[in-house]
Amino acid sequence: MMPFGITKLHERYVCGLVLPDVEPGGIGQKAELMMFTQERIRSRGVRDVVVVYVCHAEIGWSALVGFECDGLSD
């Protein structure tokens, strides 16, 4: 299992890539996909990668891997 922490933040804008069906602490291929995606974001010069997990009652977990931005125009 991948280690993770939960932090409550005030409203923020995060842009990046959505990974459907990925939940916190995932293992196997989903964990490998998460690591690959984080490395791809870092390879574009992003130093502080942010991962946001969202659970929707009808479709389950998704992860957003990206970085904080100033607003919708970014």
Side-chain angles (χ1 to χ4, degrees), residues 13 69-74:
Y13 290 98
C69 55
D70 293 327
L72 295 176
S73 62
D74 289 340

Side-chain angles (χ1 to χ4, degrees), residues 9 12-16 37-52 64-69:
L9 300 172
R12 310 250 175 156
Y13 290 98
V14 177
C15 60
T37 305
Q38 289 178 1
E39 288 305 314
R40 294 293 299 159
I41 298 287
R42 284 188 186 100
S43 73
R44 296 178 188 273
V46 175
R47 296 181 64 188
D48 297 321
V49 175
V50 175
V51 179
V52 178
L64 171 63
V65 182
F67 55 94
E68 287 188 46
C69 55

Side-chain angles (χ1 to χ4, degrees), residues 23-38:
E23 61 185 68
I27 58 174
Q29 288 182 332
K30 300 292 182 177
E32 291 175 16
L33 177 60
M34 175 64 74
M35 296 301 288
F36 173 79
T37 305
Q38 289 178 1

